[in-house]
Amino acid sequence: MALAPIFRKIFLVDLIKGLSLTFRYQDPKEIYTEQYPLERPQVAERYRGLPRLKMNPETGKTLCIACDLCAKACPENLITVESERDPVTKRKVLTKYTFDLSRCMFCGLCEESCSTDAIELTPDYEVAQYSRDGMVLDQKRLEEGPDRKEYKR
């Protein structure tokens, strides 16, 4: 009969090993606390957060040409693009663009499929809302980007 398993159960060897590891990291020099609303954490360079429609800096209009590629590439079908033909230029003109953020998994397929780089996923991570109505972003909110609150003591 092996005494090692019985010895380990009686004297709680595994528990003592775990507690020693826990108390080893209890040194106040090792503790790191972020003061969140006042100090924003640094996000990774390739982090994909809130979507945004890019604007042409010269004309002030959106770069979206209403090709509907982003909506077709989205696996969740949460992007809707509506357009009309301009009778003069014979081009599509974007009339409505909505993005349902509540179902978005931030995969970046919409960003990769866009031929004009009109949509991008920004490093903004604060997406919490009190209602689902605020999670459906229209064209105006996508162009402006999120309104960021600054907190002070």
Side-chain angles (χ1 to χ4, degrees), residues 65-129:
I65 57 172
C67 63
D68 205 28
L69 286 176
C70 57
K72 291 176 182 168
C74 181
E76 294 292 324
N77 297 324
L78 53 95
I79 302 172
T80 58
V81 179
E82 294 179 11
S83 62
E84 294 178 347
R85 285 259 181 222
D86 186 11
V88 177
T89 61
K90 307 279 192 224
R91 291 184 176 197
K92 285 184 177 180
V93 178
L94 183 68
T95 57
K96 185 178 179 186
Y97 193 101
T98 58
F99 196 104
D100 187 2
L101 199 60
S102 64
R103 296 184 358 228
C104 184
M105 58 186 174
F106 304 103
C107 62
L109 291 175
C110 57
E111 185 179 23
E112 290 176 16
S113 67
C114 186
S115 59
T116 60
D117 290 332
I119 190 166
E120 68 175 340
L121 295 177
T122 63
D124 296 319
Y125 55 87
E126 295 171 329
V127 295
Q129 298 284 330

Side-chain angles (χ1 to χ4, degrees), residues 2-71:
L3 293 176
I6 297 171
F7 177 78
R8 291 176 76 103
K9 285 182 183 177
I10 292 174
F11 292 108
L12 304 171
V13 174
D14 294 330
L15 177 66
I16 294 170
K17 281 184 181 178
L19 286 174
S20 68
L21 179 68
T22 302
F23 287 122
R24 208 174 310 148
Y25 288 100
Q26 294 297 318
D27 185 17
K29 294 177 219 156
E30 300 286 330
I31 297 173
Y32 177 74
T33 304
E34 289 181 352
Q35 304 299 324
Y36 167 62
L38 301 174
E39 298 172 12
R40 308 270 176 171
Q42 293 292 324
V43 294
E45 184 179 322
R46 293 174 39 181
Y47 176 78
R48 294 188 298 248
L50 285 175
R52 184 172 185 160
L53 280 175
K54 291 183 188 176
M55 305 290 285
N56 187 347
E58 297 169 0
T59 62
K61 294 183 179 179
T62 183
L63 292 174
C64 182
I65 57 172
C67 63
D68 205 28
L69 286 176
C70 57

Side-chain angles (χ1 to χ4, degrees), residues 136-153:
V136 178
L137 306 176
D138 59 345
Q139 181 179 350
K140 183 181 176 195
R141 284 184 59 195
L142 284 167
E143 289 171 351
E144 293 173 358
D147 52 341
R148 201 164 187 202
K149 295 179 183 173
E150 295 295 327
Y151 295 96
K152 296 180 182 173
R153 287 186 185 218

